[in-house]
Amino acid sequence: MEILKGIGVSPGVAICTSVVLDAEEFRIPRRNIPRTQVRNEIQRLRQAFTEASDEVSQLQDSQEGLFDSKIKDIFAVHLHFLRDRTLRRQVNDLIENQFYTAEYAVSVILRDVAKHFSQAPDAYISERVNDIYDIEKRLIRHLVGKRREDLAHLTAPVVVVAHDLTPTQTASFDRKMILGLATDAGGRTSHTAIVARSLGIPAVVALGHASEKVAAGDTVIVDGHRGLFIINPDEETVAEYKDYAATIMERIHELDELADQPAITQDGVVIQLLGNIEFPDEAEIILQKGGEGIGLYRTEFLYLESDHEPTEEDHYQAYVKVIKTLGNSPIIIRTLDLGADKFTQNRRTSREPNPFLGLRSIRYSLRNIAMFKRQIRAILRASAHGNIKIMFPLITNILELRQAKWLVADAKEDLEEEGVKFDDSLPVGMMVETPSAALMSDQFANEVDFFSIGTNDLIQYTLAVDRGNEEVAGLYSPSHPAILKLLQQVVQSARRAKIDLSLCGEMGGDNDYTALLLGLGFTTLSVAPPVIPEIKKTIRSLNMENCRQLARKALTLDSDKQIISYLRSEMLDRSSFST
Amino acid sequence: MSANETAERTIEIRNHEGLHMRPAMRFVQRANAFQSRITLSKGKQCVDGKSIMQVTMLAAGKGTQLLLRAEGQDAVEAAAVLAQLLENETSGEPVS
């Protein structure tokens, strides 16, 4: 049993079999075997080579009718490799003398071959490196066998362990079967954390080398509260955690009973509680947990899930699906907010040096008008069936906003000509998530129907901190005075212009900040669906006047540490009076 | 009674692509048909001519001088046949 400590970023407990993702997206579960396993391992290797050879032979035969014999030849070469005695001998050696697992041994030898190839001065020869990787993958696939993780179609519940998780990977998760996440890297607001909280599953990040220590099939425990990750727990530990998990479930059920209750403060102020979703299925969870609509419908999954750009129809279906679940509840759809990831980077000729500040999000959309218009049209068409609003991310410049609005007007004209229905009074809003947008909020407020503050990015840009960088993640703090000041400013601008205002960043879902946010004047919060009950409970325990006082005081304090300390101590005091 | 013979031939790789996968494969296939031990050397590097892995590791590109060596009962025939094959494969002319 091994206990690793990381950062718990999503609460809960999972006791489950593990699935490990290698950085190259296929698994090399373990590197070493005990001496007693050598016989077995050689046998496994022999089996894998046989199966791989058979597979290639079949592929060769299937190419029989093809005009171009080159493809058949490639398989012939692969087959030769698989039957090569030198290769087999070298791999066997590593197993017998170094006690490597078959897959690790195969990998080591073939990568060495690949290295030789890639160093050859001849381009033609160095390109053959891909053949070697192909052979390696085939063998590894046969060695790792049926446990090859196809995370989209799991047959049993698992915990996913990886170095880190990208949006591309999580987009294809079979969400009913994944009960927990554990990563080596990451911080409180990394993608892993966001996905886990959204799904309501426990997650622990910043574990260091967990993915190297776990072998697929190991039983693991993910303790999202305490930030622990336990590999091959002993019986006693499993029993303890089962008890603990039961207690947590009880508490969750208690909170769920609030689902039908309104989010209203002690002195009668009504707060609108909405949910943030990354996938259409999560709309259901919002309903279950007592949310009143969607404050942020992230549409990136449409671009990450498949290898082609989504069509207008793809978009439309995804939006209508959510309308079916939520009926006439408000749904705010955010246009594409991608950058620094597979979708945009794969389409570039050279890597961006600084993707975070680069061609992403609304900028990307405005450079790809045809693509952007497809999304806009789909949103407009969907607006005929539900209570839809459209929102643009990462606006920094009034001209961007005007250009985007112009495209919406343009799309409306087109649809009208085509006789397609849409809501002509579709509210058009923007995310306030950059310092420039926050500082110029008065100007922007005059040109939109609503604001939604994206605190995650606002905090990163304002405090100049990369939330995913473990070295500086401690500097990322929603309670920094600069953030409070900006929030206050945006609230005032929204009031003056009489436009709706909501907050959809992670800060909204953290009940350390609920009193502060209410005190600053927020009356709509959009949070990760699983925490809706918790935030509702907090809201119901608060008194608006006290919140306002709290906010006023917080705005006078010096540092993020001082402010969070103050907020927490106030919450503790009050909790002795609340229900 | 033929004892172990040895035979050697030198071949220069003349084609653009060098001794890449497919010709290497044909060579290895042919080499395995002979009983003799077959080696290919490029400078100090010497590899087993019956192993595709080793032969491709040679990464013999255009202009490389390869020394083919056969040792065994059918060495003379092996060297002749294999040298011819290499010349054909890497001559820079299209192979039928």
Side-chain angles (χ1 to χ4, degrees):
Chain A
M1 168 166 94
E2 200 174 340
I3 304 183
L4 301 174
K5 177 95 176 65
I7 303 177
V9 295
S10 180
V13 165
I15 307 172
C16 214
T17 320
S18 61
V19 140
V20 184
L21 287 185
D22 188 82
E24 273 93 38
E25 289 184 40
F26 63 90
R27 293 175 304 162
I28 297 186
R30 227 199 224 116
R31 297 191 176 181
N32 295 100
I33 46 164
R35 280 152 211 255
T36 48
Q37 281 273 71
V38 169
R39 284 289 99 235
N40 254 10
E41 213 63 6
I42 302 280
Q43 177 55 23
R44 278 211 314 137
L45 185 75
R46 187 178 310 142
Q47 178 101 12
F49 266 93
T50 309
E51 283 173 13
S53 301
D54 286 346
E55 198 176 67
V56 175
S57 292
Q58 276 176 21
L59 281 167
Q60 234 190 340
D61 290 341
S62 74
Q63 306 295 316
E64 201 50 63
L66 280 190
F67 191 70
D68 187 352
S69 66
K70 286 209 188 98
I71 299 182
K72 267 188 69 177
D73 280 349
I74 290 181
F75 288 128
V77 170
H78 285 211
L79 208 46
H80 261 84
F81 253 89
L82 288 168
R83 291 180 181 154
D84 189 285
R85 277 184 301 218
T86 310
L87 174 62
R88 190 75 84 82
R89 193 173 19 92
Q90 289 189 4
V91 177
N92 273 353
D93 259 357
L94 285 182
I95 297 176
E96 283 169 347
N97 299 328
Q98 307 280 0
F99 308 111
Y100 283 3
T101 56
E103 47 269 17
Y104 190 51
V106 162
S107 197
V108 164
I109 298 297
L110 284 178
R111 288 198 182 184
D112 194 49
V113 174
K115 200 164 128 200
H116 262 90
F117 273 38
S118 62
Q119 284 167 353
D122 257 273
Y124 202 79
I125 290 177
S126 63
E127 274 159 21
R128 304 274 59 82
V129 152
N130 286 328
D131 285 295
I132 303 299
Y133 284 134
D134 198 28
I135 294 170
E136 183 198 357
K137 276 208 178 102
R138 193 182 298 284
L139 278 170
I140 303 268
R141 212 173 355 102
H142 283 279
L143 282 168
V144 172
K146 292 192 176 56
R147 283 177 317 185
R148 171 165 198 252
E149 85 294 274
D150 176 3
L151 292 179
H153 303 102
L154 294 164
T155 51
V158 294
V159 161
V160 175
V161 185
H163 177 73
D164 205 352
L165 288 169
T166 64
T168 309
Q169 287 169 309
T170 58
S172 63
F173 272 2
D174 178 344
R175 293 188 295 283
K176 291 192 223 40
M177 291 295 194
I178 296 184
L179 301 189
L181 303 177
T183 60
D184 297 341
R188 209 160 272 296
T189 50
S190 60
H191 182 71
T192 306
I194 294 177
V195 167
R197 284 199 280 265
S198 218
L199 298 176
I201 58 176
V204 178
V205 302
L207 282 165
H209 297 279
S211 68
E212 285 165 39
K213 295 184 176 174
V214 189
D218 275 349
T219 301
V220 297
I221 300 183
V222 176
D223 177 349
H225 279 282
R226 296 183 219 146
L228 297 176
F229 180 62
I230 305 175
I231 306 174
N232 289 323
D234 57 31
E235 272 176 42
E236 206 185 303
T237 310
V238 172
E240 259 177 50
Y241 267 99
K242 282 195 169 146
D243 280 342
Y244 179 43
T247 323
I248 295 180
M249 281 315 290
E250 257 180 60
R251 197 174 156 261
I252 291 180
H253 285 139
E254 256 175 50
L255 284 178
D256 280 349
E257 265 146 45
L258 285 177
D260 299 323
Q261 309 276 6
I264 185 165
T265 65
Q266 298 263 299
D267 48 351
V269 176
V270 173
I271 305 294
Q272 194 186 34
L273 259 190
L274 307 172
N276 300 334
I277 65 171
E278 217 161 300
F279 305 102
D281 315 6
E282 293 172 276
E284 185 61 56
I285 307 180
I286 294 183
L287 272 188
Q288 282 169 19
K289 298 287 183 179
E292 300 158 57
I294 296 177
L296 170 61
Y297 182 165
R298 297 183 175 104
T299 58
E300 289 72 63
F301 74 96
L302 285 159
Y303 296 82
L304 293 174
E305 251 177 7
S306 66
D307 49 22
H308 62 268
E309 192 209 304
T311 61
E312 182 185 312
E313 199 53 33
D314 289 335
H315 276 283
Y316 178 71
Q317 291 303 331
Y319 306 146
V320 161
K321 189 168 175 192
V322 166
I323 294 174
K324 282 206 172 79
T325 312
L326 291 180
N328 239 6
S329 304
I331 298 171
I332 302 183
I333 302 178
R334 182 183 70 184
T335 62
L336 180 62
D337 186 33
L338 277 182
D341 48 64
K342 185 179 123 176
F343 180 77
T344 54
Q345 294 302 316
N346 275 357
R347 284 158 173 74
R348 291 184 55 80
T349 46
S350 60
R351 293 193 65 77
E352 276 189 308
N354 211 336
F356 189 47
L357 301 176
L359 186 70
R360 52 177 288 220
S361 197
I362 189 70
R363 303 162 180 182
Y364 187 81
S365 295
L366 290 173
R367 288 271 194 101
N368 291 278
I369 302 230
M371 179 202 78
F372 193 24
K373 264 192 133 171
R374 276 189 271 278
Q375 180 167 36
I376 293 174
R377 281 176 58 103
I379 295 175
L380 280 166
R381 284 170 55 199
S383 72
H385 308 288
N387 185 355
I388 306 286
K389 303 186 192 186
I390 185 174
M391 172 164 80
F392 304 122
L394 206 74
I395 297 282
T396 51
N397 190 317
I398 195 85
L399 299 175
E400 286 174 329
L401 174 63
R402 287 176 186 158
Q403 206 185 345
K405 283 173 65 182
W406 187 82
L407 286 171
V408 173
D410 208 38
K412 281 184 177 176
E413 258 177 50
D414 289 343
L415 289 172
E416 214 171 303
E417 269 167 38
E418 294 162 29
V420 176
K421 290 211 185 76
F422 59 90
D423 175 7
D424 196 43
S425 58
L426 171 78
V428 176
M430 66 182 253
M431 296 234 354
V432 176
E433 51 184 347
T434 60
S436 60
L439 289 168
M440 301 303 293
S441 53
D442 269 338
Q443 184 192 33
F444 281 106
N446 288 333
E447 308 207 11
V448 290
D449 299 317
F450 65 91
F451 277 157
S452 183
I453 304 191
T455 52
N456 302 357
D457 274 353
L458 182 64
I459 296 170
Q460 290 199 96
Y461 287 122
T462 303
L463 305 183
V465 170
D466 174 1
R467 71 193 184 200
N469 183 337
E470 300 101 77
E471 307 271 3
V472 295
L475 289 173
Y476 174 102
S477 178
S479 65
H480 194 289
I483 305 300
L484 269 57
K485 196 157 176 205
L486 287 177
L487 290 178
Q488 187 190 37
Q489 164 149 357
V490 178
V491 169
Q492 284 167 358
S493 301
R495 273 199 193 127
R496 277 195 281 267
K498 296 192 177 43
I499 60 172
D500 285 340
L501 171 66
S502 62
L503 186 142
C504 61
E506 301 277 306
M507 186 181 178
D510 184 340
N511 61 8
D512 278 345
Y513 298 108
T514 312
L516 172 68
L517 292 173
L518 262 51
L520 284 173
F522 285 93
T523 52
T524 304
L525 296 175
S526 191
V527 304
V531 308
I532 290 175
E534 210 177 300
I535 299 299
K536 191 185 282 191
K537 183 167 182 201
T538 305
I539 291 172
R540 288 167 65 84
S541 73
L542 295 173
N543 174 293
M544 240 352 224
E545 199 35 58
N546 288 343
C547 291
R548 291 192 191 114
Q549 272 178 26
L550 180 99
R552 278 196 289 269
K553 172 84 187 279
L555 282 163
T556 66
L557 298 176
D558 277 343
S559 72
D560 55 308
K561 301 255 182 301
Q562 215 188 351
I563 291 172
I564 189 68
S565 215
Y566 169 63
L567 294 176
R568 283 182 183 151
S569 65
E570 287 298 299
M571 288 303 287
L572 272 174
D573 281 346
R574 268 155 188 52
S575 68
S576 48
F577 298 110
S578 64
T579 38
Chain B
M1 184 63 219
S2 48
N4 268 352
E5 308 171 324
T6 44
E8 282 182 8
R9 299 288 275 273
T10 312
I11 306 100
E12 181 181 319
I13 310 281
R14 273 174 293 183
N15 67 340
H16 203 56
E17 302 90 347
L19 187 60
H20 59 290
M21 287 284 207
R22 272 170 284 129
M25 173 186 75
R26 287 192 274 270
F27 176 86
V28 167
Q29 222 166 341
R30 227 38 214 292
N32 272 288
F34 291 105
Q35 184 244 22
S36 299
R37 196 170 107 85
I38 310 287
T39 60
L40 276 178
S41 306
K42 169 177 131 181
K44 292 217 184 88
Q45 226 185 332
C46 177
V47 300
D48 175 1
K50 293 185 179 177
S51 160
I52 180 83
M53 185 165 129
Q54 295 200 30
V55 170
T56 44
M57 289 273 260
L58 259 187
K62 180 169 175 188
T64 308
Q65 298 262 11
L66 286 179
L67 176 65
L68 166 71
R69 203 163 191 273
E71 213 177 292
Q73 289 192 342
D74 48 11
V76 172
E77 193 198 343
V81 167
L82 292 173
Q84 183 72 60
L85 187 152
L86 270 181
E87 297 232 355
N88 286 347
E89 293 277 1
T90 63
S91 65
E93 322 235 336
V95 182
S96 56

